[in-house]
Amino acid sequence: MNYQDRITIEPGKCSGKPCIRGMRITVYDVLSYLASGMTYQEILDDFPYLTQEDILACLSYAADRERQTLLVQA
């Protein structure tokens, strides 16, 4: 998935954290909901302005960030 179309970073919004489509819901929020055991459908029911593609974009963004993490030798 191409998350660049859905994940936005604006310095004056949510302290510059990555958000979904310029809204005030962060990638971190969505990932936290998923990590706590919420299903896609539960998230979509609680936040009707989100789409399944938004959730997938958050996962794709997180995967890309993890892939870009540098390993530091001790």
Side-chain angles (χ1 to χ4, degrees), residues 21-39:
R21 293 184 286 123
M23 296 184 283
R24 293 192 177 275
I25 184 160
T26 66
V27 169
Y28 176 83
D29 293 333
V30 173
L31 295 175
S32 294
Y33 299 141
L34 291 169
S36 73
M38 287 180 75
T39 65

Side-chain angles (χ1 to χ4, degrees), residues 34 37-46 52 55-56 59:
L34 291 169
M38 287 180 75
T39 65
Y40 284 17
Q41 193 56 54
E42 289 172 327
I43 294 170
L44 297 174
D45 289 344
D46 285 351
Q52 182 171 340
I55 296 171
L56 292 174
L59 291 170

